[in-house]
Structure formats: C-alpha cells, structure tokens
Amino acid sequence: WEDLVRAIAPLTIPCAKQAAADLKIAAAGDCHILDIGGGSGMFSLTWLQENAEARATQLDWANVNRVAREYAQNLGVSDRFTTLDGDFYKTNLGEAAYDFVIFSHIAHQMGPAENVEIYQRIKRALKPGGTLVINDFVINDERNGNPFSLLFNCNMLLHTSAGASYREADYRSWLNTSGFGAVR
C-alpha cells in the first residue's frame, strides 16, 4: 500500500485543487477536514496549502499514515495535519466534528450497502451544513461515459468482493438515503 499511495499521489492533486476552488477552501477560515482512507494525504494536504487556518485529520492504516505524515512534513503543513490509525470500516468518526469530509477513491472498493453505511456515519460526523466530497471513477447513468471508468469496473469485479465503478444515480440514491440534501 505504501508503494501504491506514493505512485498515485500526483494524480490526486488536480482533483483536490479543483474541489478546493469549487468549495472556496481558501476562504473557509478555521475549518476541520477529515480525509477517510486518504492514502498519501495529498487531497487534504493540498487543501491545507490553500487555507492556512484549516486543520486536517486522516484516517487510514498506520503504514499508510506514515507516508502521509512524510508528505505533510515536506509540504510544510505537518503542524495542522494529524493522522488516526485505523480501519475506516470500524473506526468511530465522531459526531458533528468536521466541516468537510473527503472520501476519495474509496467507494469503488465497497458494495452499495457498505457505501450507504459509511455515508450515514459520515453524515453524523459532519457539522450541520458540512460538506462531503466524493472523488471516484463515476460513470454516467447510461453506462456509456468515460472509457477508463468503465474499464476500471472490470478491475473492481476482479479484485473486490463487491466493488464497482458506480453511476451518478447510485451515489445520489445512497446519499439521499443517508440524509444528505443537496447532491452535486
């Protein structure tokens, strides 16, 4: 996992920067971010570079969190970046503790029921008005969109017990079931 997160870290930065711009992270002031299964940490670390008042906590395995802490140190944001060693399937996410939760490239590893369960836990962990950011290989509702996302689905069928590339409609349904209002 350590080698994988190092290899894919650069791929995260453009999405993180786009999400930061869309959500106006630079102007969000003192906010707390939870990065679930954050790997290299590059998504939340990019946001910390955008907002000098933000703090981030990453939940991932201890061996992966070591890599993220190294990146945080190299980027000069380690004083605002903490890690929580654990399994996101089991770790308590808390109640109304975070302004933003990042769920990047995790949903495709899980089945529909598991996604709904974690989105419900995330909803509880967010402060009122908080935002969940999902970044993944999403396919359109007609299942004829981005070729990479469609081919990635084959990888998930081979390497997970229930994972897949999911449709926008799947995410909307799961998020609505989990109590999220506006889905964009």
Side-chain angles (χ1 to χ4, degrees):
W1 287 105
E2 298 93 325
D3 292 339
L4 175 65
V5 298
R6 288 180 195 283
I8 64 175
L11 302 175
T12 304
I13 297 169
C15 292
K17 286 187 177 207
Q18 184 63 56
D22 290 349
L23 296 170
K24 299 176 178 40
I25 295 298
D30 180 16
C31 60
H32 197 180
I33 303 158
L34 174 63
D35 194 347
I36 298 176
S40 67
M42 288 309 297
F43 210 113
S44 55
L45 296 175
T46 298
W47 286 16
L48 293 180
Q49 289 180 302
E50 295 282 327
N51 179 339
E53 295 178 68
R55 296 164 287 121
T57 300
Q58 175 170 296
L59 168 59
D60 213 321
W61 294 323
N63 57 324
V64 174
N65 278 338
R66 279 191 293 277
V67 174
R69 287 192 302 272
E70 175 186 316
Y71 279 112
Q73 183 70 38
N74 292 342
L75 293 171
V77 296
S78 61
D79 60 323
R80 297 180 290 121
F81 181 76
T82 58
T83 57
L84 177 59
D85 296 341
D87 180 338
F88 58 78
Y89 289 107
K90 300 173 186 171
T91 301
N92 183 344
L93 304 179
E95 302 280 330
Y98 303 98
D99 300 285
F100 298 95
V101 174
I102 300 167
F103 200 65
S104 183
H105 290 289
I106 302 297
H108 64 248
Q109 300 175 37
M110 305 184 316
E114 292 170 305
N115 275 301
V116 168
E117 187 276 331
I118 199 159
Y119 296 152
Q120 290 170 341
R121 291 174 47 225
I122 289 170
K123 179 69 174 154
R124 288 190 300 273
L126 280 166
K127 294 177 182 176
T131 300
L132 166 60
V133 174
I134 300 172
N135 179 45
D136 218 315
F137 300 118
V138 180
I139 57 179
N140 67 26
D141 293 339
E142 293 77 32
R143 298 183 191 269
N144 62 5
N146 182 305
F148 183 84
S149 294
L150 294 167
L151 289 171
F152 190 78
N153 192 48
C154 296
N155 187 45
M156 291 299 93
L157 292 172
L158 292 171
H159 294 101
T160 67
S161 61
S165 293
Y166 294 109
R167 301 171 306 144
E168 292 176 23
D170 297 322
Y171 286 99
R172 287 183 196 290
S173 172
W174 300 335
L175 291 166
N176 287 330
T177 298
S178 301
F180 287 90
V183 177
R184 175 171 81 98

